[in-house]
Amino acid sequence: MADKLYLVKEGEISLKGGNRNLFEKRLRHNIKDKLRPYHSEINKQKGRLYAYIDEAAPDAMIEKALSTTSGITGFAKAHRAEKDMDAIVRCAASILPGAFSEKGSFKIAVKREDKAFPFSSRDIAVKLAEVVHGIYPELTVDLDNPGNTLTCEVRGEAYLYTSESKAIGGLPVGTAGKGMVLLSGGIDSPVAAQMMAKRGMKADAIYFHAYPYTSDEALEKVKKLASLIAPYMQGMRLFVVPFTDGQIHIRDNGYEEEATLMFRAAMMQTAERIAKEHGAIAIITGEALSQVASQTLDAMSFTDSMTDLLVLRPLVGMDKEDIIARAREIGTYETSILPYEDCCVVFSPKHPVTRPVKEVSRRHFGELGMEPFIENAVRDTVVYTFDAAGKEVIDG
Ligand code: ATP
Ligand code: MG
């Protein structure tokens, strides 16, 4: 077998009862999908997934695939040895050089699942510690806070590894239905999208573009964000909705203080159309309570009332700092802070209403007669497709 082997830990799936198989099947499918065009085979034994992946697949690609797949809490590239003490020692001797730092401490972690193996965990640890000392004479043992760890698992075979990566946890994408995320060029909405993907939700994205008030660069930025989110979503489409005429109509015919609210209401109704066309039953936004005028309880209550769809706001209780930290973790922050303005900024009133009265704002929205603008916008929407690796698919 010339395949690479990765040991993959499931997270919350392991708590599932009757549907567990469905979740696991989806997880395996998602991982394999991300590793294409390379061949992979994923087996399961005792709460562990064993991913056998074509030797030709680059480690960096595999690591990116596993670290963007929800449903996994961690993974390690493992080396196999026969279940035989000499073979285990030889395997350790071959993988250790270069794997540990020269100075500091280490620990041998042994998981002896096969209770018939004739050596105890302690026996194995002592033998392997000797190997470590032979190669790294300056390292000391520290069981509580080791600088380096060599893990040996004795199961069907023996598996050895020197580093373990954390993954995102959650549940596999495709197990929680479909949504549409309102993706702006900001920091918040990509984080909101990733958080729902982490809970197993598949979503496409919608961006309202007000060219030329928002530039081509702003669109490129949103496309870039979509490509960064796509791996978490196992691939994603981006619907770009031209909304300049609608924006101008609101600006010229509505109350200035309500402009943002009216635009948000129009966004909800447009998104609802696109969502229904594509089988999505929820809208996801990057709103956080009271972060800006349109995100007060009253304002959100108003925008909520403009659609029948469930509106999910996964960031609602988060501080900006926490959101930024997550944006850094998932790799969207640097793109989000590029300076191109989004359309809300361009059309923002100086003194926005923060406590709209729902019934009054709903009436004002009705008086604007947005229907034809929404219809045109949906009709002229342009779709971009990104695959599970985040690459744009042309002619998809
Ligand atoms: P973000 O950082 O995501 O841009 P924000 O703090 O700037 O959010 P707003 O601009 O008020 O807040 O937008 C709130 C939410 O509305 C966004 O998180 C996003 O989900 C959605 N949204 C705003 N502008 C657009 C747009 N042009 N296209 C699509 N969705 C948008
Ligand atoms: Mg914004």
Side-chain angles (χ1 to χ4, degrees):
M1 281 203 283
D3 292 335
K4 296 181 182 184
L5 170 63
Y6 281 76
L7 301 185
V8 178
K9 262 191 223 158
E10 290 178 341
E12 203 174 315
I13 293 181
S14 56
L15 304 175
K16 292 280 164 203
N19 313 332
R20 182 166 170 171
N21 276 342
L22 277 175
F23 283 87
E24 273 171 354
K25 206 169 146 197
R26 174 58 63 174
L27 177 58
R28 283 205 286 260
H29 170 91
N30 287 354
I31 296 173
K32 284 169 75 97
D33 201 33
K34 279 212 183 110
L35 293 172
R36 277 190 298 176
Y38 298 103
H39 179 262
S40 60
E41 200 57 54
I42 300 168
N43 305 326
K44 182 171 166 212
Q45 279 171 50
K46 300 215 169 126
R48 244 328 153 66
L49 296 178
Y50 293 74
Y52 295 91
I53 303 163
D54 187 342
E55 189 68 50
D59 283 3
M61 178 207 184
I62 299 172
E63 272 149 40
K64 163 135 198 242
L66 295 174
S67 56
T68 55
T69 301
S70 52
I72 297 173
T73 55
F75 59 89
K77 184 179 183 187
H79 300 263
R80 276 164 284 178
E82 265 177 61
K83 265 197 289 188
D84 166 274
M85 188 66 108
D86 289 340
I88 290 172
V89 165
R90 276 200 307 278
C91 179
S94 79
I95 67 170
L96 278 166
F100 278 8
S101 44
E102 299 286 335
K103 291 194 173 19
S105 60
F106 78 98
K107 170 186 174 172
I108 308 288
V110 179
K111 292 175 188 159
R112 185 170 155 274
E113 279 291 320
D114 177 3
K115 301 301 176 204
F117 189 62
F119 297 89
S120 70
S121 293
R122 206 191 131 71
D123 294 337
I124 302 169
V126 168
K127 278 276 188 205
L128 292 181
E130 280 170 18
V131 181
V132 173
H133 279 308
I135 301 170
Y136 299 98
E138 292 185 47
L139 291 187
T140 56
V141 174
D142 182 344
L143 300 182
D144 299 321
N145 196 14
N148 304 280
T149 302
L150 170 65
T151 306
C152 174
E153 302 192 4
V154 184
R155 294 166 181 260
E157 298 168 281
Y159 306 104
L160 285 86
Y161 49 90
T162 52
S163 80
E164 214 177 336
S165 306
K166 261 184 121 51
I168 51 181
L171 293 165
V173 166
T175 59
K178 230 191 113 179
M180 281 285 169
V181 57
L182 300 186
L183 190 66
S184 65
I187 296 168
D188 304 334
S189 42
V191 174
Q194 193 271 348
M195 283 176 73
M196 295 320 298
K198 181 181 159 177
R199 292 308 300 166
M201 191 162 188
K202 171 107 181 137
D204 287 321
I206 301 179
Y207 169 59
F208 292 83
H209 193 35
Y211 186 82
Y213 296 94
T214 46
S215 59
D216 283 333
E217 284 95 333
L219 172 59
E220 285 310 311
K221 177 180 165 183
V222 174
K223 283 177 69 181
K224 172 78 184 167
L225 288 170
S227 80
L228 294 172
I229 293 300
Y232 295 104
M233 288 289 177
Q234 294 294 133
M236 187 168 81
R237 284 178 296 183
L238 171 66
F239 296 89
V240 175
V241 182
F243 213 71
T244 314
D245 294 346
Q247 288 269 40
I248 291 172
H249 182 75
I250 292 170
R251 183 192 64 194
D252 295 347
N253 297 279
Y255 297 96
E256 199 213 321
E257 324 79 73
E258 275 187 336
T260 307
L261 283 178
M262 295 298 119
F263 173 50
R264 298 198 63 78
M267 280 205 287
M268 287 297 171
Q269 296 202 336
T270 311
E272 177 177 311
R273 296 276 177 89
I274 299 173
K276 285 183 172 163
E277 234 172 79
H278 296 276
I281 62 164
I283 294 173
I284 303 158
T285 80
E287 291 163 295
L289 185 59
S290 299
Q291 198 193 76
V292 293
S294 62
Q295 297 173 18
T296 61
L297 213 53
D298 297 285
M300 289 197 288
S301 167
F302 162 68
T303 42
D304 233 47
S305 78
M306 300 310 297
T307 174
D308 291 339
L309 295 182
L310 173 65
V311 181
L312 295 171
R313 300 178 169 90
L315 313 185
V316 75
M318 284 172 78
D319 296 347
K320 194 76 185 186
E321 260 173 61
D322 305 335
I323 298 170
I324 288 173
R326 276 199 84 99
R328 286 186 195 278
E329 261 173 48
I330 67 171
T332 54
Y333 182 73
E334 297 302 327
T335 303
S336 286
I337 59 172
L338 293 173
Y340 316 110
E341 290 193 332
D342 67 40
C343 49
C344 303
V345 176
V346 178
F347 289 93
S348 280
K350 282 192 200 64
H351 303 289
V353 181
T354 56
R355 302 206 56 193
V357 176
K358 198 195 282 182
E359 291 320 316
V360 174
S361 294
R362 283 173 63 91
R363 194 175 72 239
H364 291 168
F365 184 75
E367 285 162 7
L368 278 173
M370 293 306 293
E371 188 53 32
F373 296 96
I374 293 174
E375 214 157 272
N376 289 346
V378 172
R379 187 197 60 214
D380 296 336
T381 291
V382 177
V383 190
Y384 300 89
T385 304
F386 300 88
D387 67 16
K391 271 222 304 286
E392 187 176 349
V393 182
I394 313 287
D395 278 338

